[in-house]
Amino acid sequence: MAGGQSLMPLMNARLVRPTVIIDLNHVTELAYIQAAQQSLRIGAMTRQRSAEQSPAVREHLPLLAETLSWVGHIPIRNRGTIGGSVALGHPAAELPALAKVVDAQFVVMGADGRTRQLDPDAFFVAACTTALQPTDILTEIRLPYLPDQTGWSVQEVAPRQHDLALVGVIAVVTLDASGCCSDVRLGLFGVGDTAVRATQIEQRLIDLRPDAQTIRAAVADLPSLLDPPSDMHASAAYRREVAAVLAGRALTEAAQRARRGSGMPPRP
């Protein structure tokens, strides 16, 4: 147990009944934020609220701070950990989607003390299932910095503010000197067993100016590319339609921020 914000509700509902619980809260060595040369390195026990308010995060990867502001309520973020959220791998959670969007690396340690690095596609296996083995522990998440002239946006729809998202989108747009897209990243959550990258939509915007008409055309058939679940909260058809709307909004805001200049500082 790290923050316990996912485990305790499951135990209260009798959905899980562990015979042994290992409390990680005294493993303070895994609570840190380091601005390295190419990425932000975050220890798995770092509290979500600490990362959200961290000067290093706000300076070098403000997208992370904005994404964290959507995670639960402040009391939840005060206890919840960065590593706990990604290790759970909930399909409607924001941090796994962010990890996919920025091509994060997960540092995993086995019982023999050896470490290995996994990318998001290898780490996230299915709904609430990751590549972590029973004797593994996630120790660090490495989040690469965004390029200069990059904008971003986080959009989601939930039954109530700060509930788990019905559908969420994270968009990142990088512009070249002519104002055309040199890189586009579009991640969605709540629409599958894991967070997904809409790579087909991304490629349609490369080398184009991201104006309203271009973005609208790019996301027009996004619903046909998704296979979301239906449940008591929303139908699959609703999630498909909302995903396209949110994707358009997110890409538009990300492009606007990129045009204004992201204000990203020099690399440390």
Side-chain angles (χ1 to χ4, degrees), residues 6-263:
S6 299
L7 177 61
M8 296 310 295
L10 291 173
M11 292 176 61
N12 290 339
R14 303 297 191 269
L15 295 175
V16 297
R17 298 187 179 188
T19 55
V20 175
I21 297 176
I22 300 174
D23 186 356
L24 300 176
N25 280 279
H26 296 292
V27 187
T28 56
E29 296 88 348
L30 294 183
Y32 59 85
I33 299 173
Q34 298 175 352
Q37 185 66 31
Q38 297 181 332
S39 64
L40 201 63
R41 298 186 176 184
I42 300 180
M45 282 298 297
T46 303
R47 304 294 175 186
Q48 295 162 359
R49 186 65 170 164
S50 297
E52 180 185 358
Q53 296 184 311
S54 164
V57 170
R58 292 183 175 272
E59 181 180 359
H60 299 293
L61 193 62
L63 170 59
L64 173 58
E66 183 167 328
T67 301
L68 285 166
S69 71
W70 290 87
V71 177
H73 299 272
I74 290 178
I76 290 175
R77 301 199 295 274
N78 281 337
R79 290 295 301 167
T81 63
I82 300 292
S85 180
V86 297
L88 177 63
H90 196 288
E94 292 84 358
L95 291 180
L98 172 67
K100 283 209 169 186
V101 166
V102 301
D103 296 323
Q105 291 288 311
F106 300 98
V107 181
V108 176
M109 180 180 289
D112 59 2
R114 297 180 181 180
T115 61
R116 65 187 191 276
Q117 293 187 36
L118 300 175
D119 61 29
D121 287 338
F123 186 80
F124 298 111
V125 176
C128 298
T129 304
T130 69
L132 291 172
Q133 299 301 308
T135 55
D136 286 339
I137 186 170
L138 176 67
T139 60
E140 183 178 271
I141 302 95
R142 297 176 180 176
L143 302 168
Y145 301 125
L146 299 178
D148 294 330
Q149 207 61 33
T150 295
W152 61 89
S153 177
V154 183
Q155 304 279 336
E156 68 178 55
V157 169
R160 296 173 302 179
Q161 187 177 18
H162 298 299
D163 278 1
L164 276 173
L166 298 177
V167 180
V169 175
I170 300 176
V172 174
V173 174
T174 303
L175 300 180
D176 60 21
S178 66
C180 294
C181 296
S182 60
D183 188 29
V184 178
R185 306 180 191 185
L186 186 64
L188 298 99
F189 49 102
V191 296
D193 287 343
T194 65
V196 299
R197 280 278 295 273
T199 53
Q200 290 177 270
I201 308 301
E202 296 171 357
Q203 290 303 313
R204 291 174 188 174
L205 290 167
I206 298 298
D207 296 331
L208 299 179
R209 292 183 181 274
D211 56 32
Q213 182 176 354
T214 301
I215 290 174
R216 186 164 53 249
V219 303
D221 64 347
L222 177 60
S224 67
L225 303 176
L226 302 175
D227 186 23
S230 289
D231 54 33
M232 62 181 292
H233 300 293
S235 67
Y238 175 82
R239 284 188 164 96
R240 289 190 187 96
E241 184 171 347
V242 171
V245 172
L246 294 184
R249 291 178 184 174
L251 288 166
T252 298
E253 182 176 52
Q256 290 171 346
R257 280 179 162 171
R259 291 189 192 99
R260 293 195 299 265
S262 63

